[in-house]
Amino acid sequence: MHGLCGGDLRCLLSLWETPLKNKTILLEHGSGGLASQELISRLFLTHLGNPVLSSLEDSAIIETSIGRLAFSTDSYTVDPIFFPGGDIGLLAVHGTINDIAMRGARPLCLSLGVILEEGLLISDLENVVLSIKEASEKAGVPVVTGDTKVVPKGKGDKVFINTSGIGIVPDGINISVKEARPGDIIMLSGTIADHGVAILTRRAGISIQGDLKSDTMALHRLVQLLVETLPEAVHTLRDPTRGGIATAFNEIAKTAGVGMDIEESKIPIRPEVEAACELLGLDPLYLASEGKFLALIAPEYAAQALDMIRLQPEGRDAAIIGKVTKDPSGRVVLKTAVGGARLVESLSGEPLPRIC
Amino acid sequence: MRHLCEFRDRGLTISLATELDRIVDRPIRFMEVCGTHTMAIFRHGLRSLLPEDLHLISGPGCPVCVTPTGHIDAFIRIACMPGVTVATFGDLVRVPGTNGSLARARSQGARIEVVYSPIDALNLAEQRPKDLVVFPAIGFEATIPGVAATILEARRRKIQNFAVFPAHKLMPPALEALMSQSCFEIQGLLCPGHVSTIIGANAYRFLSMRYYLPCVIAGFEPADIIQALILLTRQVRYGRAEVENAYPRAVRWEGNARAQGLMQEVFEPVDSEWRGMGIIPRSGLAIQPGFSEFDITKRLDIEIPQVQGPKGCRCGEILIGQCMPSDCPLFATVCTPLDPVGPCMVSAEGTCAAYYRYGRHH
Ligand code: SF4
């Protein structure tokens, strides 16, 4: 289960009183924001919860006699399936690899399940499969088992993909959202919102000057380098996918019971992405990246870690964007670029362009 | 987008804020009319930079919020008809009507598509010739010319399975209605930027002349907003009441004549119901008889009853600055962005949503 945590308590409490019975699944239950969190806590965790699942990390860590394994699964539905900078195949490989990497683990192998809609062009499917091949070869993480199903036309949307992955957690590495502690430096491995903007503008049929493309990429090598060179430096890793960095900050802050101070002016964003957000009235803090991580790093290692990340192609634009504080617990404060301050909350609803 | 940068400059913003702090020497209440201003003020954390004595009240400028429940119900009713697709701005999808929302209807099988402009809705109609595609046209003057142009385009392209639900609102009549309420006490108006590009700065003159209300048109960048607040404060201090244009890079005194022409060609003013304000004379738009084939209310003979808003919701009062979200007992307890009771909690431009998302530590 991906990118979820306790959520906003007040929200959850208020919903506790409304019975689930007459409710239907709405699109926003898949947004990665508060509605998704609520569905997971109230339904899945109520019935299936156990200490590993309920920790709601990017991947689960399982103790075995031969060591600790990281295990993760993620499903991919994206419209359009081909978008600037990638396609659903790349996303499905990178996403699961990254979820495993977010525990400091070295990904070993992937499973691949595809659900195809009757009528899908086989050449389109082949292009997706070629992307999967390219991504998994480049990452050195093979697909070792798979499954294919077909549903009647109209019962699916072209292609849905599920990937699961297994990785090995090196000895002595203990990276978890719970490890976040006051004083930690918050580092971002690159620019925000690239994927979200590429998809939204493509879906809206808006063409914008400049080159808007998804940042989908595998991060396990960068993480491995960091973890092997500075094993004690990294406390928490999270990839800000659906819900954006705003939601990721809140998940960490609420789970670890810490506060965060973020400097808006330090957050890397490509100018064309910022311009597109401006035009559409979107807040980039809520838009997905598919090739970036947030790292919470012990302050004494921060400078060294930043230098190291920046030397790698995946981390060229890395920056220190804030720090973890004791108070206000569970709250994220943004110092805005113009010198103001405000709270940052998790995503609620879908990110939508403004009307006027 | 170079021009954005200088108005978002930290040094400039801080020095303007310092100047504002210096000149606010008494409690002052201004209203920001436009939801995009409300949002920008919160997003840039400007409230933390403003003098304590300066109170900003949000006005009736959120398009989704001012649309009354009867209209929302009608949109949902239409969406549930066989053979109909409702193509709508995303903001409208989650707004609660009397029974559920468009989102709820969609989960039960109604055909609802989110579009980003009226022309997208027209294109959708062209792609789905068997469906009747209906576009709920909400919003203020800034969005109206686009809808008018789309109706003209539909005629040009001879697309017959496309119709509009006219639910636009006009800003000046609503401001006039607000001002004529005796209990309405504000000392200045931060006038909307986008709407003013169309109607022009002259459109606010009646407020300064008839009601002696200072009006300043503002852009949406932090420095724009604070600069406009400085101009308003100066007017108050020196006892002036004028219209000033602090957004000259986008707004002209006479507005955009071409856009106004488009509006008049396709629409005509009618009395219209606003959430919280009831029926305001000539504050809405109907489609001209010459274009009635694109008017869904005529085509399907849709009645729009006046119905009560959600129980306990105070959106209506919030929209006219008579209470704050924190005055609503449902705020942040029963009513949250996750499970909104009223439209002000749904829309990104809604006051309750803005206070919920950004403002709760103040
Ligand atoms: S908090 Fe909710 S119920 Fe109360 S006024 Fe706002 S939208 Fe309506």
Side-chain angles (χ1 to χ4, degrees):
Chain A
M1 297 219 174
H2 183 86
L4 296 155
C5 79
D8 188 302
L9 199 63
R10 272 212 261 185
C11 256
L12 294 183
L13 284 179
S14 74
L15 275 143
W16 215 253
E17 288 139 27
T18 35
L20 281 178
K21 243 195 344 216
N22 297 323
K23 295 201 154 190
T24 42
I25 288 292
L26 305 177
L27 268 181
E28 62 172 307
H29 285 120
S31 65
L34 289 176
S36 314
Q37 292 171 13
E38 189 240 348
L39 183 71
I40 305 257
S41 330
R42 285 199 57 194
L43 203 119
F44 290 98
L45 292 188
T46 305
H47 298 300
L48 305 175
N50 60 55
V52 182
L53 182 66
S54 305
S55 69
L56 295 172
E57 299 267 3
D58 281 339
S59 51
I61 303 261
I62 307 151
E63 312 265 355
T64 72
S65 54
I66 50 156
R68 287 177 305 158
L69 295 180
F71 182 35
S72 183
T73 188
D74 211 338
S75 300
Y76 299 84
T77 63
V78 55
D79 172 32
I81 58 173
F82 300 99
F83 45 82
D87 61 38
I88 189 168
L90 290 184
L91 219 51
V93 172
H94 296 154
T96 295
I97 288 178
N98 291 348
D99 281 347
I100 291 171
M102 293 306 112
R103 304 302 300 273
R106 185 166 59 82
L108 280 184
C109 56
L110 296 175
S111 74
L112 171 72
V114 290
I115 296 177
L116 307 170
E117 187 192 14
E118 180 189 25
L120 174 72
L121 282 177
I122 293 195
S123 57
D124 278 354
L125 180 60
E126 186 170 23
N127 286 332
V128 171
V129 173
L130 286 173
S131 290
I132 292 173
K133 171 182 150 87
E134 177 201 315
S136 89
E137 279 178 4
K138 216 164 136 194
V141 186
V143 173
V144 293
T145 179
D147 175 56
T148 308
K149 295 282 185 298
V150 179
V151 294
K153 192 159 183 66
K155 301 274 152 118
D157 189 8
K158 298 186 189 81
V159 49
F160 297 151
I161 300 184
N162 173 277
T163 49
S164 300
I166 294 180
I168 293 184
V169 188
D171 283 342
I173 296 301
N174 195 11
I175 293 173
S176 154
V177 169
K178 288 192 209 79
E179 294 295 310
R181 51 193 89 145
D184 281 355
I185 297 299
I186 304 171
M187 195 178 291
L188 187 60
S189 71
T191 54
I192 61 166
D194 296 81
H195 179 76
V197 162
I199 296 285
L200 272 174
T201 48
R202 177 45 78 92
R203 213 182 284 163
I206 297 162
S207 51
I208 281 166
Q209 290 273 312
D211 167 31
L212 294 174
K213 54 180 204 290
S214 170
D215 57 346
T216 177
M217 109 181 114
L219 297 167
H220 60 306
R221 292 220 170 85
L222 185 59
V223 171
Q224 243 165 279
L225 180 75
L226 192 62
V227 169
E228 277 164 17
T229 330
L230 303 169
E232 272 150 34
V234 187
H235 293 158
T236 305
L237 289 170
R238 192 112 214 183
D239 55 340
T241 54
R242 293 171 315 165
I245 54 171
T247 308
F249 290 149
N250 274 283
E251 287 171 357
I252 299 170
K254 290 191 170 90
T255 308
V258 294
M260 288 190 181
D261 258 346
I262 308 291
E263 291 267 350
E264 185 178 45
S265 60
K266 302 276 167 62
I267 300 173
I269 182 166
R270 293 170 59 211
E272 51 274 39
V273 170
E274 193 173 21
C277 287
E278 210 52 62
L279 194 74
L280 294 170
L282 292 166
D283 189 339
L285 299 184
Y286 292 95
L287 298 180
S289 301
E290 290 290 346
K292 304 295 154 50
F293 62 69
L294 280 168
L296 270 47
I297 298 192
E300 60 273 28
Y301 295 107
Q304 226 180 324
L306 182 65
D307 289 344
M308 201 167 79
I309 292 176
R310 278 192 166 161
L311 284 177
Q312 305 305 315
E314 302 98 311
R316 273 199 319 255
D317 303 314
I320 289 174
I321 60 167
K323 61 172 188 298
V324 178
T325 55
K326 199 154 144 279
D327 300 312
S329 165
R331 288 284 161 107
V332 181
V333 178
L334 183 80
K335 304 260 161 61
T336 65
V338 295
R342 67 159 165 101
L343 280 186
V344 178
E345 298 279 350
S346 290
L347 175 69
S348 48
E350 294 274 334
L352 291 169
R354 68 162 163 254
I355 297 179
C356 97
Chain B
M1 300 226 118
R2 283 254 49 179
H3 66 273
L4 281 180
C5 307
E6 63 193 274
F7 294 94
R8 205 173 272 190
D9 179 81
R10 185 187 191 120
L12 176 63
T13 308
I14 299 280
S15 57
L16 286 170
T18 313
E19 168 64 7
L20 182 62
D21 196 44
R22 194 184 66 77
I23 61 174
V24 171
D25 58 354
R26 65 196 90 176
I28 301 184
R29 270 160 69 94
F30 293 143
M31 174 177 269
E32 92 267 358
V33 179
C34 166
T36 313
H37 275 145
T38 309
M39 212 53 199
I41 289 165
F42 275 111
R43 239 187 79 190
H44 297 295
L46 296 188
R47 271 174 198 263
S48 64
L49 297 177
L50 299 181
E52 253 173 40
D53 272 344
L54 183 81
H55 301 282
L56 280 178
I57 298 151
S58 306
C62 152
V64 165
C65 307
V66 299
T67 306
T69 304
H71 276 74
I72 306 288
D73 289 350
F75 301 156
I76 298 172
R77 243 183 7 255
I78 292 172
C80 293
M81 292 177 180
V84 171
T85 295
V86 165
T88 173
F89 289 133
D91 244 11
L92 207 51
V93 174
R94 298 175 65 238
V95 176
T98 308
N99 288 309
S101 59
L102 284 169
R104 176 62 44 80
R106 178 169 64 187
S107 78
Q108 288 158 358
R111 316 235 301 181
I112 292 151
E113 300 284 342
V114 170
V115 291
Y116 299 83
S117 75
I119 203 82
D120 289 348
L122 182 65
N123 293 338
L124 191 71
E126 205 168 27
Q127 287 157 22
R128 296 189 186 168
K130 287 198 205 114
D131 277 16
L132 175 60
V133 174
V134 179
F135 178 74
I138 61 164
F140 303 106
E141 285 89 341
T143 51
I144 300 168
V147 178
T150 304
I151 289 177
L152 292 172
E153 179 68 12
R155 173 163 288 177
R156 197 187 64 78
R157 294 196 336 221
K158 301 196 173 59
I159 299 176
Q160 282 158 2
N161 61 324
F162 172 76
V164 166
F165 193 127
H168 284 301
K169 299 277 182 260
L170 301 174
M171 195 51 95
L175 295 175
E176 168 123 55
L178 267 184
M179 289 312 297
S180 43
Q181 288 178 353
S182 55
C183 55
F184 188 67
E185 271 174 37
I186 57 157
Q187 286 142 292
L189 209 59
L190 196 71
C191 300
H194 295 138
V195 165
S196 305
T197 58
I198 310 292
I199 64 177
N202 283 332
Y204 304 96
R205 284 210 197 273
F206 74 97
L207 289 170
S208 59
M209 285 156 70
R210 217 175 301 156
Y211 299 97
Y212 213 70
L213 185 72
C215 294
V216 175
I217 295 147
F220 297 97
E221 294 303 320
D224 284 325
I225 293 171
I226 300 184
Q227 171 66 20
L229 292 172
I230 291 176
L231 294 176
L232 279 174
T233 306
R234 286 203 188 122
Q235 290 201 37
V236 172
R237 276 185 56 155
Y238 300 113
R240 289 186 282 123
E242 294 162 12
V243 178
E244 288 180 276
N245 182 4
Y247 194 30
R249 66 186 189 278
V251 174
R252 278 178 288 159
W253 285 93
E254 66 284 1
N256 180 333
R258 209 181 137 246
Q260 291 166 11
L262 273 174
M263 274 163 68
Q264 281 154 16
E265 185 177 349
V266 178
F267 293 107
E268 60 187 358
V270 284
D271 300 353
S272 176
E273 188 197 350
W274 293 56
R275 188 184 300 268
M277 288 191 279
I279 293 179
I280 302 175
R282 296 172 69 79
S283 68
L285 289 176
I287 293 178
Q288 296 265 17
F291 293 93
S292 59
E293 75 262 34
F294 297 109
D295 185 343
I296 196 69
T297 59
K298 301 265 161 59
R299 230 161 123 159
L300 298 181
D301 215 2
I302 305 281
E303 288 276 321
I304 309 156
Q306 256 183 296
V307 295
Q308 286 285 318
K311 216 171 140 231
C313 171
R314 301 185 70 181
C315 274
E317 291 157 89
I318 289 173
L319 285 167
I320 54 176
Q322 275 180 359
C323 77
M324 300 294 267
S326 52
D327 298 326
C328 171
L330 307 184
F331 178 72
T333 54
V334 177
C335 181
T336 64
L338 195 52
D339 212 6
V341 175
C344 302
M345 190 57 96
V346 180
S347 173
E349 289 151 280
T351 311
C352 296
Y355 273 79
Y356 184 91
R357 210 163 282 167
Y358 300 134
R360 280 184 297 157
H361 64 317
H362 286 301

